Amino acid sequence: MGTVALVVVDLQNDFCAGPVAAARYPGSPERLREVAAGTARAVELARERGVDVAFVRFTGDPEHQGRSWRRRDRLLGKRPKCLEGSAGAEFTGVAPQPGEGVFTKRACFDAFLSPGFEDHLVRTGADRLVFAGLFTDVCVDSTARTAFQKGFHITVLTDCTAALHFADADILRFMARVYGAHLTTHDRPDDWAPGEDA
């Protein structure tokens, strides 16, 4: 299978816990709780199996927003989320351990726009990225798209992510068809995080 990295995308309070998340997510808040719990378990399994875990976080502070981002928010009445230093920007149910990479996307979707993210993957020798976190159709997809184009194999833990704007099944089918993404669940670690002897 090659060297695997688990990429945890934007598992932050403003996206999956608390009033901001509840107000903007169109589905049941229980689904977001399930995603957070499943992702936390996937992180544990990855660590147990010696798989690198990289944490990606979003900050939406206005000073980092481009003109198009500000215009969109103004037209749609969207307020900034995950402001740097706020409780909304904190991770939900997971915490990076010393030595694990943490990368910040400043008002952008794609983790490859985070300083150091791609260098980290190259340094660790990863050739397959396993995605968990939020949202499947926004930041997970944006990062997976770039990853595919850069030659990484893609796996998505379907029980550890949820879509914001589209049906989960539709965006997962799209990712499988366009990026060749392997779809599985966190509770099948032999399928996505084989041990060193596998």
Side-chain angles (χ1 to χ4, degrees):
M1 176 182 266
T3 302
V4 179
L6 175 63
V7 182
V8 178
V9 180
D10 298 356
L11 200 72
Q12 296 165 266
N13 291 336
D14 274 355
F15 294 133
C16 58
V20 174
R24 65 192 300 263
Y25 181 65
S28 167
E30 181 58 29
R31 173 69 180 142
L32 296 178
R33 287 191 286 273
E34 291 170 357
V35 165
T39 301
R41 182 60 184 140
V43 169
E44 292 175 0
L45 290 167
R47 289 168 175 163
E48 289 171 5
R49 289 166 172 253
V51 170
D52 181 66
V53 182
F55 292 85
V56 179
R57 61 191 289 272
F58 171 86
T59 57
D61 300 73
E63 59 265 32
H64 299 304
Q65 297 174 2
R67 291 190 304 270
S68 57
W69 191 289
R70 290 193 299 271
R71 179 178 182 274
R72 181 207 63 179
D73 282 5
R74 186 173 63 253
L75 291 174
L76 299 179
K78 295 168 70 77
R79 299 177 61 91
K81 294 167 288 296
C82 298
L83 298 177
E84 190 67 71
S86 72
E90 293 176 3
F91 288 114
T92 303
V94 292
Q97 290 186 345
E100 292 177 333
V102 181
F103 307 95
T104 300
K105 299 181 285 110
R106 292 183 170 86
C108 60
F109 302 137
D110 185 346
F112 283 89
L113 298 176
S114 302
F117 178 72
E118 185 171 5
D119 290 343
H120 174 82
L121 298 178
V122 170
R123 189 168 57 253
T124 60
D127 65 359
R128 176 173 296 277
L129 305 186
V130 179
F131 288 97
L134 298 167
F135 286 99
T136 323
D137 53 345
V138 187
C139 295
V140 173
D141 177 71
S142 294
T143 304
R145 181 173 304 203
T146 300
F148 171 72
Q149 293 175 104
K150 287 180 174 287
F152 294 94
H153 301 286
I154 306 301
T155 294
V156 180
L157 301 182
T158 60
D159 58 341
C160 295
T161 189
L164 182 62
H165 303 289
F166 300 99
D168 288 326
D170 290 344
I171 187 65
L172 291 168
R173 186 166 51 248
F174 173 86
M175 295 172 80
R177 181 171 298 174
V178 179
Y179 316 143
H182 174 61
L183 307 179
T184 188
T185 53
H186 85 277
D187 56 354
R188 300 180 62 190
D190 288 344
D191 199 32
W192 60 267
E196 292 181 2
D197 297 331

